[in-house]
Amino acid sequence: MNFSPIDSIFNDDLSSQNITISLKFFFHEDSRYVCYSPNLKSDVVEEIYSLYKKTLRKETTSRSRNLDAQHDASLEPFSKFLFNKDSKDRRIEKIDDIRPNSSGNFSRTIYSTLHEQMLNAVPKPIYLLNNNYDDINFTFCTISNGIEDFSIISMFNYPKVLKSAMFSFTGNQLSKVMNKMIGLESRIDLLFYDESLYVFNHQSLDRIFFFNDFLKQETKQFSDDLVNIQNTMIKDKRITTEIFSQDDISYIQQYASGNQERMKKLWQVNSIPGRMQRFLENVKNIPLIPAKFKLELSYVAITNTVTMKHTPMAVNQLLKCMCDKYYVSILLNEPGEDSSKA
C-alpha cells in the first residue's frame, strides 16, 4: 500500500500549502446516516492536521515494521490479524485494503455507502444539535491540498468526563465552562484514498457500515436461495421432493440468529457464485465423506434427500460441505474455500 501522496500532504509546513479540512459528525438513525458539520477556525484546522499527521505516521510505521507482507483483503472481515515476527504471542491488527473490485457483497455495500451517504452527504449546521453530542457514531474528516484528498473515519466516544460539570482555571480562580465541550481522539479506524478503503480497525466496519444488518440480509438470502433452488429443481423434474425440509431450513435460520460469526458462515456460501446449487446437485456424494468426521447429516438414496440433526454441529458440517476445501474436493470435485476463514 502506498501512502506517499498522503505523506506529501502531510509535509512540515502547513502554511505553505492550500490545505482545506472538512469535519462531519455522523449519527445512525433507523439504518441511515445523518450528519452535522461545523465551521472550522484556522487554529482548529492546524490542530486536526497535526493530530492525524502524527497518528497516521505512527500507525503505518509500527504496523509495517511488525507485520509480515500485507495482502489485499477479499472477504472482509474474516482475516484480521497477523503475528508479530518477534513474538507469536502478540497479535497485531493488519491494515487491510478493500477496493471496489474486492470479492464479496459487503465490499459493494461499503462503496455504495461511502459515495452515496458519506462523501456526498450534505451536512446540517452543528448548532442544530443543541449540544446533544452523546449519540455521535463516528467522525468523517476530509483533508485536501487541492490536488490530492483523503478521508479519515473514526469511531466516536463521548467521554463521561464531558458529561459532568466542567471547569477551567483563570489564575487561581475556578470557573464553570459555560459551553458544552467536544473532543476528537487521535485514532484512525478507516482511511479512504484513491478508491481504496484502508481498514485499521476491523471492529469499525461492524459499527459504521451496519454490518449486522447486512449479515441478517445474507442469512435470509441463504434460506431463500435454498428454497428457490430446490423448487426450481422440482419444477425441472431433477428431484421429486425437497432435499432439505422446511424444518431444516427454519433451524438453520435459528442457528444463525443473533450470532455474527455464524451469519458470516452463511454469507461465505452466498459469496461463492453457484456453490449452493452445485452442492444440491451433488448431495449423493455425501456418503463419500470419511466416517471419522462423524457427520450429523446423511444422504437418503431412496428419496434423494438429506436428513440432518438440528444441532449447531450439523449446520457447521453442512456449511463445510458447501465451502470447505477438503469437503468440496470430495463432494464437487473442485477447489473449495478455506474454512479457517469462517
Side-chain angles (χ1 to χ4, degrees):
M1 54 188 65
N2 179 19
F3 287 127
S4 57
I6 294 176
D7 288 336
S8 69
I9 296 177
F10 281 139
N11 67 17
D12 293 330
D13 186 6
L14 174 61
S15 61
S16 67
Q17 299 189 79
N18 183 29
I19 297 293
T20 59
I21 293 180
S22 68
L23 182 64
K24 298 175 183 177
F25 295 90
F26 276 86
F27 294 75
H28 283 167
E29 291 185 4
D30 301 324
S31 295
R32 64 188 181 91
Y33 298 90
V34 177
C35 74
Y36 297 81
S37 181
N39 297 322
L40 304 179
K41 290 185 177 181
S42 59
D43 59 339
V44 176
V45 170
E46 291 176 8
E47 190 67 26
I48 293 174
Y49 178 87
S50 299
L51 180 74
Y52 286 134
K53 173 182 177 179
K54 180 179 179 180
T55 303
L56 181 63
R57 287 185 175 173
K58 177 182 177 182
E59 290 282 357
T60 54
T61 300
S62 63
R63 298 192 199 206
S64 62
R65 181 175 65 247
N66 289 308
L67 298 180
D68 295 319
Q70 305 281 338
H71 300 288
D72 287 349
S74 53
L75 295 175
E76 285 302 317
F78 289 146
S79 178
K80 295 184 180 180
F81 298 97
L82 292 178
F83 285 112
N84 185 321
K85 293 179 181 178
D86 301 321
S87 171
K88 289 189 177 180
D89 294 328
R90 182 184 176 194
R91 295 193 307 173
I92 300 176
E93 194 163 4
K94 73 173 185 175
I95 303 172
D96 274 332
D97 177 2
I98 305 180
R99 304 180 182 183
N101 58 355
S102 295
S103 60
N105 297 334
F106 190 48
S107 295
R108 291 189 288 275
T109 299
I110 285 175
Y111 273 85
S112 172
T113 302
L114 269 171
H115 284 281
E116 295 175 12
Q117 300 189 53
M118 294 184 188
L119 288 169
N120 297 325
V122 179
K124 302 176 182 179
I126 198 77
Y127 69 83
L128 294 178
L129 278 176
N130 294 320
N131 293 329
N132 295 318
Y133 306 138
D134 299 27
D135 296 327
I136 293 173
N137 192 265
F138 62 93
T139 59
F140 192 98
C141 180
T142 300
I143 301 176
S144 173
N145 64 357
I147 301 173
E148 301 276 0
D149 63 76
F150 61 95
S151 298
I152 292 171
I153 307 173
S154 304
M155 291 191 294
F156 184 86
N157 294 300
Y158 193 72
K160 289 183 179 179
V161 66
L162 296 184
K163 299 178 184 179
S164 307
M166 299 297 297
F167 305 94
S168 65
F169 285 101
T170 304
N172 200 46
Q173 180 71 40
L174 184 65
S175 303
K176 182 179 179 180
V177 175
M178 301 305 296
N179 294 324
K180 195 166 183 179
M181 300 176 67
I182 196 168
L184 292 180
E185 295 184 70
S186 59
R187 63 182 295 164
I188 298 175
D189 293 312
L190 305 168
L191 188 149
F192 186 63
Y193 167 70
D194 193 26
E195 291 301 310
S196 287
L197 183 71
Y198 297 94
V199 183
F200 289 69
N201 174 11
H202 288 76
Q203 289 182 348
S204 65
L205 293 175
D206 293 1
R207 180 168 163 183
I208 293 173
F209 290 101
F210 300 113
F211 188 48
N212 199 59
D213 290 350
F214 170 82
L215 289 177
K216 288 179 181 178
Q217 293 174 1
E218 288 293 309
T219 299
K220 182 178 184 301
Q221 186 66 54
F222 181 96
S223 300
D224 289 347
D225 287 349
L226 192 50
V227 170
N228 293 335
I229 292 172
Q230 288 188 144
N231 288 341
T232 299
M233 293 175 73
I234 292 173
K235 182 179 179 181
D236 295 342
K237 298 183 179 180
R238 285 180 284 168
I239 57 176
T240 57
T241 188
E242 296 168 335
I243 297 172
F244 290 92
S245 69
Q246 291 299 318
D247 286 344
D248 293 335
I249 296 172
S250 294
Y251 180 76
I252 293 172
Q253 286 185 305
Q254 178 185 331
Y255 154 91
S257 177
N259 187 310
Q260 276 203 2
E261 292 306 311
R262 291 179 175 182
M263 288 190 286
K264 287 177 186 176
K265 293 177 182 180
L266 303 188
W267 167 37
Q268 188 181 11
V269 176
N270 294 349
S271 299
I272 308 171
R275 177 54 54 83
M276 185 181 291
Q277 179 161 336
R278 292 273 289 126
F279 167 74
L280 291 173
E281 291 170 345
N282 289 275
V283 291
K284 63 182 181 296
N285 292 331
I286 287 178
L288 299 178
I289 302 294
K292 66 179 181 179
F293 291 106
K294 298 179 180 179
L295 292 186
E296 293 189 4
L297 57 154
S298 58
Y299 175 69
V300 182
I302 297 176
T303 56
N304 191 33
T305 59
V306 173
T307 61
M308 61 177 285
K309 294 183 179 180
H310 288 179
T311 64
M313 176 64 74
V315 181
N316 284 332
Q317 291 172 341
L318 171 64
L319 298 176
K320 283 187 175 182
C321 287
M322 292 184 177
C323 57
D324 179 84
K325 281 184 176 181
Y326 178 74
Y327 287 77
V328 167
S329 66
I330 295 173
L331 293 170
L332 309 185
N333 192 28
E334 64 181 49
E337 298 294 317
D338 188 350
S339 64
S340 66
K341 292 182 180 180

